Amino acid sequence: MIRAAQPGDTEAILMLWLRSSLLSHPFIADSYWIESLQMVREDFLPKARVWVDCDANDEICGFIGVLNQQFIGALFVEESHYGDGTAQRLMAAAKDEYPVLLLEVYQQNHRAVAFYHKEKFVFSARTRHPGTDLPTYILRWFQPLSE
């Protein structure tokens, strides 16, 4: 079930973010993610519009956060929910709200890059992440025009 994140979800979201960041970015030192946790708590989450996908027990399986009505700053899913549609449901919630979405993804995160291509995101630019200096792609999605 997709719903808007609530204040009581913050700790679960933060722990999911940390676990998933460590798992999906083995090419980045763990210390980077641990040191970034405070920024996610104090800066990203309060500014982002966040949706969570919950299981039948209301446990959070994944979340997506959108900044400035277009930038996906986070899309993370519990490893046990990989491949079960959680990421697609979260992406659909964002696409239902915004006609244009942008995101930055590490070029080495092949799983994420493949997912975004399946979700019809297209290449916009190559850049380097300011925090890690690793190469990233900027990807963009446009809502299809109605016929």
Side-chain angles (χ1 to χ4, degrees):
M1 172 189 78
I2 303 289
R3 63 171 172 78
Q6 301 164 357
D9 297 328
T10 300
E11 291 307 312
I13 290 170
L14 287 169
M15 291 304 98
L16 169 56
W17 175 84
L18 183 58
R19 282 190 306 275
S20 294
S21 293
L22 293 168
L23 179 67
S24 60
H25 303 97
F27 47 88
I28 298 173
D30 291 358
S31 60
Y32 174 79
W33 301 111
I34 294 165
E35 292 166 7
S36 298
L37 190 60
Q38 184 174 349
M39 180 278 300
V40 175
R41 177 192 305 274
E42 296 177 2
D43 193 42
F44 175 75
L45 288 177
K47 292 178 181 175
R49 184 162 180 202
V50 179
W51 291 271
V52 295
D53 190 12
C54 299
D55 64 17
N57 299 318
D58 204 35
E59 297 292 323
I60 295 174
C61 306
F63 78 96
I64 190 169
V66 179
L67 293 167
N68 302 320
Q69 300 184 18
Q70 71 174 358
F71 187 79
I72 297 174
L75 173 58
F76 290 97
V77 173
E78 289 285 3
E79 184 179 18
S80 62
H81 288 272
Y82 284 3
D84 73 357
T86 297
Q88 290 86 351
R89 288 188 297 274
L90 289 163
M91 186 61 74
K95 287 177 174 179
D96 284 348
E97 290 293 317
Y98 304 111
V100 176
L101 291 168
L102 300 167
L103 60 87
E104 182 177 19
V105 62
Y106 286 103
Q107 291 180 22
Q108 290 175 271
N109 190 346
H110 303 292
R111 181 183 182 91
V113 171
F115 170 78
Y116 293 128
H117 283 292
K118 280 178 46 179
E119 287 290 317
K120 308 291 189 229
F121 279 76
V122 296
F123 174 82
S124 182
R126 292 177 197 264
T127 188
R128 297 188 87 76
H129 188 272
T132 62
D133 198 38
L134 290 173
T136 62
Y137 297 122
I138 303 298
L139 303 178
R140 175 175 284 177
W141 172 83
F142 295 92
Q143 188 173 54
L145 297 174
S146 300
E147 293 185 31

